[in-house]
Amino acid sequence: MSFRRKMLIAFLVFVLVPLLVLGIVSYQISSATLKNNISEQTIQTLKAIDRNLMNAVSQVNVFSDYVMVTGEIQNYLETNNTFSVIDLYNNQQSIGGLMYGNAQIDDFILYSKDGQQLHLRNSSVPEFESFVNSPFYGGIIEQKGRPVWLSPTDNQEWTSDERPVLTQGRVIKDIQTLEDLGYLVMNLNIRLFDDIFAQVSMIPSEEFLVDQTGKIIYSADHKRIGSDLGIDFPSFEVGEGGYILTDWEEHKSLVTYIPSQFKTMNADKLILVSVKPWDVLASEIFHIRNTTILLSVVAILIALSFNLLYLRRVSKFIQESLTSMKKIEQGSLYVQMKSFKLKELKDISTGFNNMVARMRGLIEDVKQEQIYKREAQFQVLQEQINPHFLYNTLESINALAAMNGQKEISKITINLGKLLRISINGDYEVMVQEEVRHVVSYLEIQKIRYDHAFQFQVFIAEDLKKAYVLKLILQPLVENSILHAFESGKTGIITIKGEIHEGKGVIEVRDNGKGIPVDILESLNGASKEKLGHGMMNVHKRLQLYYGKAYGLTVCSDSIHGTIIKMKFPLKGEKDEI
């Protein structure tokens, strides 16, 4: 992802996201507050409806109380004591007038205890035997004279048309003996509830009376009675209410509910429900949502303008700076940034170019200084083993030894002369075969000196013999083997082997001595080489000073196979850069 895109995203995140969060939080808080306030108001309204509903039910109960104790009802149910058919007829007419005098009564049926019945309408009603065997009869008997209600969804056998009605049933008792005389079943017009629910004057809404299964017991739209409301209510205690925001009939709606005091025989708990369309209620808070969206769009447009007018230039400058820095990191010091129109960016690019030029000059100075320093150090090390003053003396000793027949002395002197002749050579490097010749002369001298206590052998690959290597680097290595490797009484063997491996020159000095202790060996191969002897340290430093840090000595050793000192050097012209 480009830097400019990152900056644009960062701008949107740090500006747009807080704006969106603020808008969403404001919307949620306003929405919750609105839902709570409207629901509280609706709950109070539903409680008023419930009180009015119970008042209407109480009036019906009072009326049925009055009916049951009237002389006409009591006399009719005691028809066995009637003296004539005329009295029976007169009692029926009086009872009919009594019922029709109440506008809420739609129909009623009287059952006497011995099976007689009085029905004001001509519609069919259950016979006495069917009535006695019905659950309704059981509920009436259980209540012992208290009213029992059936909802419009449970009283189909007591009404012959499709008009929804409420049904009440009671046991009629003799006012003198309190014995059961008969049973009163009244159908009441649904207008009993219509008038109560019609008094609700709120934002367009629908109110329902439902049971806990969600079946509608009452609705102002009578066609809905008996259908499922389609809303799952959370469990709640009697006397409590609540609200939920849910989808109802494909519209988001605020549903407020409370438990009703009204009960029917088949439903101990009825629920009063008010359903209000949310889009009508939330028209005010939608303004907050729309304002948030508008501000977000404006923020995006500002971000795009900021990107075009400023961010693109800054991003281009940063990208070019990163590219230039990467080139410098890769070793290229001839990098120049172009000039920019913005003054600040122009000053930075100019300062960068000046800094690179200064770095280039400083590095050249340091490089030249390191070359001088390396040459001086190498010259000091070289002078430590410069034998000019000995060479002429050895020639004289050789002549005297030959004159006196001292062959061993002459041999030593000749080999020492060869050894010193290579030392006074002015070049730093010699061919490998010359360096090997030098170390062989040294070994011949030491062999005589130590009374042939060791043997040596040399194996140099032909392709390595003409290669160049620093002079006087093998002598300290074989000297280390002669002085430290061999135990008395055992003939030692020193092997010098050279070859070209992976494009590098490799020479090994191997002995079959007692090896090097592990702790000392680990130190020898460490970064500091602190326990190398003076001669081996000299060789190691000379190799690294002349060829670079990648070259030098590696030591391998154990008590069984002896010690191997491996020297690696580049072929001519392949020295590391400082």
Side-chain angles (χ1 to χ4, degrees):
M1 184 183 295
S2 65
F3 176 77
R4 185 177 66 184
R5 185 170 297 177
K6 290 180 181 178
M7 290 289 290
L8 183 59
I9 292 175
F11 178 84
L12 293 176
V13 167
F14 288 110
V15 175
L16 184 58
V17 170
L19 181 63
L20 289 174
V21 170
L22 179 62
I24 292 172
V25 171
S26 299
Y27 177 81
Q28 294 295 335
I29 293 175
S30 301
S31 177
T33 303
L34 181 65
K35 285 188 290 185
N36 186 63
N37 291 340
I38 292 179
S39 296
E40 289 295 331
Q41 296 174 5
T42 305
I43 286 175
Q44 298 304 319
T45 302
L46 291 178
K47 287 181 178 180
I49 292 175
D50 192 44
R51 286 194 297 270
N52 294 337
L53 187 65
M54 292 307 298
N55 288 336
V57 170
S58 297
Q59 290 177 9
V60 173
N61 292 338
V62 170
F63 175 74
S64 63
D65 289 341
Y66 169 72
V67 167
M68 291 191 302
V69 299
T70 57
E72 290 83 357
I73 297 295
Q74 294 283 319
N75 290 332
Y76 173 76
L77 294 177
E78 295 175 353
T79 54
N80 291 334
N81 298 324
T82 303
F83 295 99
S84 67
V85 176
I86 296 174
D87 293 336
L88 176 62
Y89 176 77
N90 290 333
N91 284 336
Q92 289 178 345
Q93 293 299 315
S94 299
I95 293 170
L98 182 66
M99 294 298 177
Y100 284 123
N102 191 323
Q104 303 296 342
I105 305 300
D106 183 75
D107 192 10
F108 82 96
I109 306 99
L110 277 176
Y111 290 102
S112 66
K113 192 174 182 181
D114 57 4
Q116 297 183 34
Q117 69 179 46
L118 174 62
H119 182 208
L120 294 184
R121 290 181 177 272
N122 292 325
S123 58
S124 61
V125 294
E127 296 296 332
F128 180 73
E129 183 177 355
S130 298
F131 167 65
V132 171
N133 293 325
S134 68
F136 189 33
Y137 174 81
I140 292 173
I141 294 299
E142 182 180 350
Q143 292 300 317
K144 299 179 180 180
R146 290 186 292 272
V148 177
W149 289 87
L150 290 178
S151 69
T153 60
D154 299 325
N155 64 356
Q156 288 81 4
E157 60 182 328
W158 301 101
T159 176
S160 59
D161 53 27
E162 296 181 354
R163 292 181 302 109
V165 294
L166 293 163
T167 299
Q168 185 194 79
R170 302 184 72 169
V171 175
I172 301 176
K173 293 184 177 290
D174 189 319
I175 59 176
Q176 301 296 329
T177 64
L178 297 181
E179 294 181 358
D180 293 348
L181 292 178
Y183 312 96
L184 171 65
V185 178
M186 290 191 304
N187 287 336
L188 296 115
N189 289 324
I190 202 69
R191 291 196 306 272
L192 178 69
F193 286 177
D194 285 345
D195 295 339
I196 296 171
F197 280 81
Q199 295 173 3
V200 180
S201 178
M202 295 185 292
I203 298 174
S205 63
E206 290 189 61
E207 282 68 42
F208 305 95
L209 182 64
V210 302
D211 60 19
Q212 282 194 315
T213 65
K215 183 185 292 186
I216 298 176
I217 303 300
Y218 171 80
S219 170
D221 182 2
H222 296 168
K223 294 180 181 180
R224 291 183 179 274
I225 295 176
S227 62
D228 187 10
L229 184 61
I231 297 175
D232 294 328
F233 297 98
S235 60
F236 57 89
E237 299 295 332
V238 175
E240 295 181 354
Y243 63 89
I244 55 175
L245 190 63
T246 185
D247 291 331
W248 184 69
E249 294 186 343
E250 300 182 355
H251 295 284
K252 195 173 185 179
S253 303
L254 179 64
V255 179
T256 309
Y257 55 90
I258 64 168
S260 175
Q261 300 177 65
F262 181 58
K263 296 178 176 60
T264 66
M265 189 184 79
N266 295 324
D268 288 338
K269 293 183 180 180
L270 297 179
I271 305 172
L272 276 169
V273 182
S274 175
V275 180
K276 296 179 173 61
W278 180 246
D279 55 349
V280 176
L281 300 175
S283 58
E284 295 182 1
I285 64 173
F286 286 161
H287 176 68
I288 298 175
R289 181 194 63 186
N290 297 335
T291 303
T292 302
I293 295 174
L294 178 61
L295 292 176
S296 300
V297 172
V298 172
I300 293 174
L301 293 176
I302 293 174
L304 294 176
S305 301
F306 175 74
N307 175 55
L308 292 174
L309 298 176
Y310 185 77
L311 188 58
R312 179 179 293 181
R313 296 180 181 179
V314 176
S315 174
K316 187 175 181 181
F317 168 78
I318 293 176
Q319 291 292 344
E320 184 166 342
S321 300
L322 291 174
T323 301
S324 301
M325 289 179 182
K326 287 182 179 179
K327 289 181 179 179
I328 293 175
E329 185 180 1
Q330 293 170 358
S332 175
L333 296 178
Y334 295 91
V335 178
Q336 291 289 311
M337 289 183 64
K338 67 178 184 180
S339 180
F340 290 83
K341 293 183 179 180
L342 290 176
K343 182 180 181 302
E344 294 80 1
L345 303 184
K346 181 179 180 181
D347 293 341
I348 294 175
S349 62
T350 301
F352 178 86
N353 293 336
N354 294 336
M355 180 186 68
V356 172
R358 180 60 178 162
M359 287 175 56
R360 190 166 57 244
L362 290 174
I363 290 176
E364 288 296 330
D365 294 343
V366 171
K367 185 176 181 180
Q368 192 64 37
E369 181 180 348
Q370 288 294 327
I371 292 174
Y372 292 151
K373 182 179 179 180
R374 185 177 69 174
E375 289 181 352
Q377 290 177 340
F378 188 79
Q379 186 65 38
V380 169
L381 291 172
Q382 189 75 1
E383 290 297 332
Q384 291 179 359
I385 55 173
N386 190 352
H388 279 291
F389 70 98
L390 296 176
Y391 183 68
N392 292 331
T393 303
L394 290 174
E395 288 294 336
S396 299
I397 293 172
N398 180 44
L400 292 173
M403 290 173 56
N404 290 284
Q406 298 293 329
K407 294 181 179 180
E408 293 291 338
I409 296 175
S410 177
K411 186 176 181 180
I412 291 175
T413 305
I414 291 172
N415 284 314
L416 185 56
K418 292 179 181 179
L419 189 150
L420 293 178
R421 189 173 288 110
I422 192 173
S423 298
I424 64 174
N425 190 338
D427 295 331
Y428 294 142
E429 291 182 308
V430 294
M431 285 189 291
V432 171
Q433 62 184 7
E434 294 180 6
E435 176 65 14
V436 171
R437 190 180 302 121
H438 170 270
V439 78
V440 167
S441 297
Y442 173 78
L443 287 170
E444 289 289 353
I445 294 172
Q446 293 293 68
K447 211 174 147 184
I448 295 172
R449 180 183 174 193
Y450 285 92
D451 195 19
H452 301 276
F454 67 89
Q455 301 295 326
F456 67 88
Q457 49 191 2
V458 179
F459 305 98
I460 304 296
E462 290 297 327
D463 55 354
L464 184 64
K465 287 182 179 180
K466 300 295 184 180
Y468 280 82
V469 69
L470 281 177
K471 65 182 179 179
L472 302 178
I473 58 174
L474 289 179
Q475 176 188 332
L477 306 186
V478 298
E479 182 180 15
N480 183 74
S481 295
I482 294 171
L483 295 177
H484 304 292
F486 305 126
E487 297 177 347
S488 60
K490 180 180 178 181
T491 301
I493 299 176
I494 298 174
T495 302
I496 300 174
K497 182 180 179 181
E499 61 181 355
I500 296 178
H501 180 67
E502 296 182 352
K504 308 295 181 184
V506 178
I507 299 177
E508 293 181 359
V509 176
R510 184 190 301 258
D511 64 58
N512 63 342
K514 61 184 179 181
I516 302 172
V518 176
D519 56 335
I520 298 177
L521 182 64
E522 291 177 353
S523 177
L524 292 178
N525 287 317
S528 64
K529 306 287 185 182
E530 60 184 10
K531 293 192 177 182
L532 286 175
H534 176 74
M536 291 177 65
M537 178 62 78
N538 188 311
V539 172
H540 182 71
K541 285 186 175 180
R542 287 173 61 200
L543 287 171
Q544 289 198 333
L545 281 172
Y546 198 77
Y547 295 124
K549 296 295 183 181
Y551 302 95
L553 300 181
T554 303
V555 183
C556 300
S557 180
D558 63 51
S559 60
I560 298 175
H561 301 93
T563 301
I564 300 174
I565 303 175
K566 182 181 291 186
M567 173 200 316
K568 184 171 71 172
F569 59 93
L571 300 181
K572 193 169 183 65
E574 297 181 359
K575 291 187 293 185
D576 288 351
E577 293 292 334
I578 295 178

